[in-house]
Amino acid sequence: MERILVVEDDPQLAHLVTAALQHEGYTILLAISGLDAVEMAPQADLMVLDLGLPGLGGPEVIRELREADWNLPILVLSAQGTEEIRVRALELGADDYLTKPMSVREMVARVRALLRRSRPTQEIRIGDLRILLKQRQAFRAQQPLDLSPTELDLLLTLAQNPGEVWSRERLLQRVWGAERGSTVDERVVDSYVALLRRKLGDDPKTPRYIETVFGQGYRFVQHT
Ligand code: CA
């Protein structure tokens, strides 16, 4: 199930939003400051962002994420009478907004719509590769692949963004939930890519799926 990062410094509102989304079956991550939000964003599929945050404010959070190329959908919650700041949030790359106090049911509906838009399909087909997202099962040439959860997450991350280069650090954040600037050994990524390639029957010298981008990281081959 998708992971939603709720960024809200008001404990009561945080509880309300979190409970409603949990009730829908989403996994919730909670951040109470803008800095935490930026740190935790790589682990989330969508962010519900309060604009009025102490320290690093909502608009700055959006800007930092977009500059770092994190494209997760962002639903902004803004207080009434802050049209200017809301427009700025949208200009910086927020995807949708609601004015507080908002209907929790409407918020849930917006979250669902944003997730649907960002994941238009329940399956990915690339060449002879097929991945069912809900069932978390991958197939190659109709044959089911025996992938560990980490291998599957790695494959999904790369395959959902063909042509996009992922640095080892970004993959560690996304797949392993590592914090920014953490000291986790980046060779873990290389080991898992090697495992995954073996299971996919992919030759790194003539990759059909996962390409090494020298000095940068990995990317999924774009199939036309
Ligand atoms: Ca607030």
Side-chain angles (χ1 to χ4, degrees):
M1 199 59 175
E2 282 107 337
R3 290 170 288 188
I4 298 177
L5 175 57
V6 175
V7 189
E8 176 59 75
D9 61 318
D10 174 338
Q12 259 180 321
L13 202 52
H15 177 75
L16 194 73
V17 168
T18 302
L21 292 170
Q22 247 160 2
H23 187 252
E24 294 297 307
Y26 297 115
T27 302
I28 306 299
L29 306 163
L30 179 64
I32 56 171
S33 78
L35 275 180
D36 287 346
V38 173
E39 289 278 308
M40 293 163 79
Q43 299 164 44
D45 298 299
L46 178 142
M47 179 185 278
V48 177
L49 176 67
D50 172 31
L51 279 189
L53 294 168
L56 191 67
E60 283 69 43
V61 170
I62 299 169
R63 194 181 48 220
E64 285 225 1
L65 291 176
R66 295 315 188 215
E67 275 175 6
D69 257 343
W70 287 112
N71 298 317
L72 80 169
I74 299 175
L75 170 61
V76 153
L77 306 181
S78 74
Q80 260 170 340
T82 54
E83 193 187 340
E84 205 175 307
I85 200 172
R86 189 164 62 225
V87 168
R88 190 165 140 69
L90 291 172
E91 280 170 355
L92 285 169
D95 297 279
D96 197 2
Y97 74 89
L98 280 171
T99 306
K100 293 199 257 187
M102 74 287 178
S103 136
V104 169
R105 273 180 61 193
E106 181 166 12
M107 182 211 59
V108 169
R110 299 280 186 102
V111 164
R112 213 181 286 139
L114 278 178
L115 285 171
R116 202 167 39 228
R117 247 192 281 156
S118 69
R119 289 273 157 73
T121 103
Q122 288 303 305
E123 74 170 56
I124 298 174
R125 276 173 189 270
I126 305 171
D128 61 356
L129 199 65
R130 184 168 164 234
I131 311 167
L132 302 180
L133 295 176
K134 251 197 179 134
Q135 293 84 345
R136 289 181 57 82
Q137 177 65 56
F139 300 83
R140 195 176 72 102
Q142 326 288 348
Q143 296 301 311
L145 294 169
D146 183 21
L147 303 181
S148 73
T150 303
E151 289 161 354
L152 184 75
D153 284 340
L154 180 61
L155 176 62
L156 274 176
T157 301
L158 294 168
Q160 275 172 335
N161 308 281
E164 185 179 339
V165 180
W166 287 76
S167 69
R168 290 168 178 81
E169 188 190 7
R170 246 179 112 206
L171 284 170
L172 279 173
Q173 290 175 29
R174 176 74 219 192
V175 178
W176 283 266
E179 284 174 18
R180 267 213 302 193
S182 83
T183 53
V184 181
D185 191 343
E186 293 190 345
R187 278 172 299 186
V188 169
V189 176
D190 301 330
S191 308
Y192 269 90
V193 167
L195 278 170
L196 190 53
R197 276 175 168 154
R198 201 174 312 153
K199 291 191 180 176
L200 292 171
D202 205 11
D203 178 357
K205 289 190 197 98
T206 52
R208 295 170 61 205
Y209 307 111
I210 301 170
E211 219 176 331
T212 304
V213 184
F214 185 73
Q216 293 187 54
Y218 296 102
R219 91 176 139 216
F220 206 88
V221 175
Q222 220 155 5
H223 292 240
T224 46

